[in-house]
Amino acid sequence: MVLDKRLGLSETRDLLELASAYIDSIKLTFGTSALYPKAVLREKIKLIRSYGVDVYPGGTLFEIALWQDRLEPFFQCAAELGFTGIEISDGTLTISPKDRRRAIQRAKAHGFKVVTEVGKKIGPPLPVLRMQQMIADDLEAGADKVIIEGRESGKGVGIFDENGNIKTAEMEALVHDLPDFERVLVWEAPLKNQQVSLIKRFGPNVNLGNIAPEEVLALAALRCGLRGDTFGFC
Amino acid sequence: MVLDKRLGLSETRDLLELASAYIDSIKLTFGTSALYPKAVLREKIKLIRSYGVDVYPGGTLFEIALWQDRLEPFFQCAAELGFTGIEISDGTLTISPKDRRRAIQRAKAHGFKVVTEVGKKIGPPLPVLRMQQMIADDLEAGADKVIIEGRESGKGVGIFDENGNIKTAEMEALVHDLPDFERVLVWEAPLKNQQVSLIKRFGPNVNLGNIAPEEVLALAALRCGLRGDTFGFC
Amino acid sequence: MVLDKRLGLSETRDLLELASAYIDSIKLTFGTSALYPKAVLREKIKLIRSYGVDVYPGGTLFEIALWQDRLEPFFQCAAELGFTGIEISDGTLTISPKDRRRAIQRAKAHGFKVVTEVGKKIGPPLPVLRMQQMIADDLEAGADKVIIEGRESGKGVGIFDENGNIKTAEMEALVHDLPDFERVLVWEAPLKNQQVSLIKRFGPNVNLGNIAPEEVLALAALRCGLRGDTFGFC
């Protein structure tokens, strides 16, 4: 999942033409998609879909819609614009398990792929047991995948310490006893050392998120062992 | 004010098509505009202006022209190329108050919007009282706005400490007793934490400078409360 | 030498249109070129060559080919795709002096410009005497230039310490007694402070490598004294 906070139409075309084979989805992150001229947004979404890539608005937009009690209009608008997926997050808001479950189900009813996100953008990290419960609940409610929050920075959040290094014990605890975790978890991992570690731990096909557009091809090279850091590994 | 050190024609078009509503001006920073092929420069300036956005050469180019005693040819050339604004700075040179005043007046006489810059690129920061005097003098001489130097890095310069955090006392002292400071000051603030702090202190419409092209939409999201960091703030 | 890990066709055209005068070669870094759709790769190489700029695949690709004992097919394929240069490196592998010499000669026989790279991507830096010997051997074997490894990060590698500052003694020792070193050495120097130091030490025409595409024009400004950091220097 690519984190896109800025790509214009030519840049989007450039990225897809070059690297669409290595991208499963693009997230128009935060609330940026609400700031596009509508015609540009429609054309961009159409372009992304023409390459068979999924496209999501940012989780922040979902949180705002929920906060404003405008979830149905949000889903309708997203569908009408052509988005193929929705991210259900509580990075900023506190959302009750019941509301979260309901939101997942409503998004699925609208035909979206649904990814949820586990983790807080600010403040102390969630306890691992709490995260495991949320992952299980989300999947049970119908979520397709669950993202482990890593922010754009990859530092001091989720499984990453203040320097962006992986807290191995937390990471291992998270996947412990989680069936099919390779398929259902997406690790937000914007930094190269994180990508290298996760590829070495979980294999070249591990789901990674918050990948900057300019890193897509470099990450694909890491996965394939076509870069010094993973040479001969894959 | 966007700091542009690299955008080609397609990238410029992409940026404007997507985000011109959130840009008041683009600075072709340092002396980069002197390095463009002339035809590309003309086309780029024309493109920027067609979106109603102002375009400035970098302050360094002004300083070189002054140093070479070639100010009039510089203004004439900038006007002929289509630049709509001039930055008057002394980030590198030492310029007498009289020469600075004269340069502002000459630039205005050529029909340019004039922004001045206060602050040194290297060495100890100017005392606040000195900065206040310069701001008052520049405005009195006809400057439209005054930029507080932050460099491309945003670290160890002006109101920013070595880690890029805002020195609050200095910032507050700067705006103390300055009439209409929301309108006349532009804060160079390339880093997100700086942008968040300035938005929270001065409101969503605070003038910010040295914004990287790839951050324009993300900053607009911050201003609107469409990102976790300022959610529910604006 | 520009390090390109991501440019699509429009972005490549933008870069060349704006700044080809300041670029001698572009490296499609690591193994990224193996991941392009073939038609896009051919068109990109053709585009780069149309501006008179050399184009290299990454050194990692050479190392993989050597490791797989597929050097001749690699050279043939690179030539057929239109690459004009080859980088001979041992950043990841250990290669015997004899194999290295043979690879240089074979690449030359295929008509390529040949740059070799001295330095390890990971682990302790090579002793200076060893590097000097390799440089002499490579040039004697026919290499056109020798790159001093700096990685994409510019930190904790070759002549750079963990913070990306130049280890002056090592740098001076390297060039000591090396005839014509201004012409034959290329310093990978992705960070601005490194570029400034090397320009100040070796002059505005010093060969620099691993330059990010977005820094090409900014670096050209540094070389010409059109930026605060080198103002009045050149």
Side-chain angles (χ1 to χ4, degrees):
Chain A
M1 182 177 258
V2 173
L3 180 149
D4 171 6
K5 63 180 178 183
R6 65 166 183 93
L7 296 179
L9 291 173
S10 310
E11 291 159 322
T12 306
R13 194 173 294 109
D14 266 26
L15 175 66
L16 291 163
E17 200 172 65
L18 195 59
S20 65
Y22 314 106
I23 301 173
D24 51 11
S25 58
I26 295 178
K27 173 160 64 171
L28 309 188
T29 194
F30 331 129
T32 49
S33 55
L35 300 171
Y36 283 52
K38 276 288 169 303
V40 176
L41 180 59
R42 282 184 197 283
E43 197 174 333
K44 180 165 170 177
I45 290 174
K46 199 171 142 195
L47 179 62
I48 295 171
R49 292 182 61 175
S50 75
Y51 279 84
V53 171
D54 281 313
V55 53
Y56 290 72
T60 305
L61 225 45
F62 158 78
E63 294 185 50
I64 290 171
L66 183 74
W67 188 48
Q68 296 180 335
D69 200 14
R70 303 274 296 161
L71 219 46
E72 280 303 310
F74 170 65
F75 290 148
Q76 280 160 19
C77 177
E80 194 271 325
L81 285 164
F83 284 105
T84 60
I86 290 287
E87 180 180 313
I88 305 285
S89 63
D90 63 352
T92 307
L93 287 187
T94 299
I95 302 178
S96 74
K98 192 180 147 202
D99 283 351
R100 184 172 176 112
R101 180 182 190 82
R102 172 88 186 143
I104 294 167
Q105 291 169 338
R106 289 305 308 147
K108 288 302 293 182
H110 276 273
F112 292 112
K113 296 192 182 174
V114 173
V115 299
T116 61
E117 190 178 56
V118 167
K120 287 292 179 186
K121 292 191 186 298
I122 294 171
L126 295 178
V128 167
L129 279 177
R130 174 88 192 88
M131 292 176 79
Q132 286 185 316
Q133 189 58 54
M134 289 179 76
I135 294 168
D137 288 351
D138 288 354
L139 292 170
E140 204 268 325
D144 296 284
K145 292 188 191 302
V146 180
I147 296 171
I148 308 301
E149 169 78 76
R151 300 211 73 182
E152 192 190 349
S153 64
K155 294 183 178 176
V157 62
I159 61 165
F160 305 125
D161 68 19
E162 294 300 324
N163 297 316
N165 294 313
I166 293 182
K167 298 186 282 188
T168 310
E170 274 85 342
M171 179 184 74
E172 293 298 340
L174 252 189
V175 301
H176 184 69
D177 273 347
L178 180 62
D180 205 12
F181 67 82
E182 291 93 342
R183 193 185 56 78
V184 298
L185 291 190
V186 180
W187 307 89
E188 289 188 349
L191 304 181
K192 189 184 77 168
N193 68 310
Q194 300 166 351
Q195 297 161 8
V196 170
S197 298
L198 290 162
I199 288 169
K200 289 193 172 172
R201 171 62 183 84
F202 298 117
N205 293 318
V206 58
N207 295 315
L208 299 177
N210 280 12
I211 304 305
E214 57 269 28
E215 299 296 335
V216 169
L217 218 53
L219 170 59
L222 277 180
R223 292 181 186 273
C224 301
L226 288 172
R227 193 169 175 185
D229 309 81
T230 56
F231 190 102
F233 171 76
C234 305
Chain B
M1 181 176 257
V2 172
L3 181 150
D4 170 6
K5 64 181 178 185
R6 64 165 180 94
L7 296 178
L9 291 173
S10 309
E11 292 159 321
T12 306
R13 193 173 294 110
D14 266 26
L15 175 65
L16 291 164
E17 198 173 66
L18 196 59
S20 65
Y22 313 106
I23 301 173
D24 50 11
S25 59
I26 295 178
K27 174 162 61 174
L28 309 188
T29 195
F30 332 129
T32 49
S33 55
L35 301 170
Y36 284 51
K38 276 288 170 300
V40 176
L41 180 59
R42 282 184 197 283
E43 196 174 333
K44 181 165 170 177
I45 290 174
K46 198 171 143 196
L47 179 61
I48 294 172
R49 291 182 63 173
S50 76
Y51 279 85
V53 171
D54 281 314
V55 54
Y56 291 72
T60 305
L61 225 43
F62 158 78
E63 295 186 49
I64 291 170
L66 182 73
W67 189 49
Q68 297 179 333
D69 199 14
R70 302 276 296 163
L71 219 47
E72 280 303 311
F74 171 64
F75 289 149
Q76 279 160 18
C77 176
E80 194 271 325
L81 284 165
F83 284 105
T84 61
I86 290 287
E87 182 179 311
I88 305 286
S89 63
D90 63 352
T92 305
L93 288 187
T94 300
I95 302 179
S96 74
K98 192 180 148 203
D99 283 351
R100 186 171 174 112
R101 180 182 190 84
R102 172 89 185 144
I104 295 168
Q105 290 169 338
R106 290 305 307 148
K108 288 302 294 182
H110 276 275
F112 292 113
K113 296 193 183 174
V114 173
V115 300
T116 62
E117 190 177 55
V118 167
K120 287 292 178 186
K121 291 191 187 296
I122 294 171
L126 295 178
V128 167
L129 280 177
R130 175 88 192 90
M131 293 177 80
Q132 285 184 318
Q133 188 59 53
M134 289 179 77
I135 294 169
D137 288 351
D138 288 354
L139 293 170
E140 204 268 325
D144 295 287
K145 291 189 192 302
V146 180
I147 296 171
I148 309 301
E149 169 78 74
R151 301 210 73 181
E152 193 190 349
S153 64
K155 293 184 177 175
V157 61
I159 61 165
F160 305 125
D161 68 19
E162 294 300 323
N163 297 314
N165 295 313
I166 293 182
K167 298 186 282 189
T168 309
E170 273 84 343
M171 179 184 72
E172 293 297 341
L174 252 189
V175 302
H176 185 69
D177 273 347
L178 180 63
D180 205 13
F181 67 80
E182 291 93 341
R183 192 184 57 76
V184 298
L185 290 190
V186 180
W187 306 90
E188 288 189 349
L191 305 180
K192 189 183 76 168
N193 68 309
Q194 300 167 349
Q195 296 162 8
V196 170
S197 298
L198 290 162
I199 289 169
K200 288 192 174 172
R201 171 62 182 84
F202 298 117
N205 293 318
V206 60
N207 296 314
L208 299 177
N210 279 13
I211 305 303
E214 56 268 28
E215 297 296 334
V216 169
L217 218 52
L219 170 59
L222 276 180
R223 292 182 185 273
C224 301
L226 288 172
R227 193 168 174 186
D229 310 80
T230 55
F231 190 102
F233 171 77
C234 305
Chain C
M1 180 175 259
V2 172
L3 180 149
D4 171 5
K5 63 180 179 185
R6 64 167 181 92
L7 296 179
L9 291 173
S10 310
E11 292 159 322
T12 306
R13 194 173 294 109
D14 266 26
L15 175 66
L16 292 164
E17 199 172 65
L18 195 59
S20 65
Y22 314 107
I23 302 173
D24 51 11
S25 59
I26 294 178
K27 173 161 63 172
L28 309 188
T29 195
F30 331 128
T32 50
S33 56
L35 300 170
Y36 284 51
K38 275 290 169 300
V40 176
L41 181 59
R42 282 184 197 281
E43 196 174 335
K44 182 166 170 176
I45 290 173
K46 198 171 143 197
L47 180 61
I48 294 171
R49 292 182 61 174
S50 76
Y51 280 84
V53 170
D54 280 313
V55 55
Y56 292 71
T60 306
L61 226 43
F62 158 79
E63 294 185 49
I64 291 171
L66 182 74
W67 188 48
Q68 296 179 336
D69 199 14
R70 302 274 295 161
L71 219 45
E72 279 303 311
F74 170 65
F75 290 148
Q76 280 160 19
C77 177
E80 193 272 324
L81 285 164
F83 284 105
T84 60
I86 290 288
E87 180 179 313
I88 305 286
S89 63
D90 63 352
T92 306
L93 288 188
T94 300
I95 302 179
S96 75
K98 191 179 148 205
D99 283 351
R100 186 173 174 110
R101 179 182 191 84
R102 171 93 185 137
I104 294 167
Q105 290 168 338
R106 289 305 307 145
K108 287 303 292 182
H110 276 272
F112 292 112
K113 294 193 184 175
V114 173
V115 299
T116 60
E117 190 177 56
V118 166
K120 286 292 179 186
K121 291 189 186 301
I122 294 170
L126 295 179
V128 168
L129 280 177
R130 175 89 191 88
M131 292 176 80
Q132 286 184 317
Q133 189 58 54
M134 289 178 77
I135 294 169
D137 288 351
D138 287 354
L139 293 170
E140 204 268 325
D144 296 285
K145 290 187 193 302
V146 180
I147 296 171
I148 309 301
E149 169 79 76
R151 299 211 75 181
E152 192 190 350
S153 64
K155 293 183 179 176
V157 62
I159 61 164
F160 305 125
D161 69 18
E162 293 301 323
N163 297 314
N165 295 313
I166 293 182
K167 298 186 282 188
T168 310
E170 274 84 343
M171 179 184 73
E172 294 297 341
L174 252 188
V175 300
H176 185 70
D177 272 345
L178 180 63
D180 205 13
F181 66 82
E182 292 93 341
R183 191 184 59 75
V184 298
L185 291 190
V186 180
W187 306 90
E188 289 189 348
L191 305 180
K192 189 184 74 168
N193 68 309
Q194 299 166 352
Q195 296 161 9
V196 170
S197 298
L198 290 162
I199 288 169
K200 289 192 173 173
R201 171 62 182 84
F202 298 117
N205 294 318
V206 59
N207 295 315
L208 299 176
N210 279 13
I211 305 303
E214 57 269 26
E215 299 296 335
V216 170
L217 218 51
L219 171 58
L222 277 180
R223 290 181 187 274
C224 302
L226 289 172
R227 193 169 175 187
D229 309 81
T230 55
F231 190 102
F233 171 76
C234 305

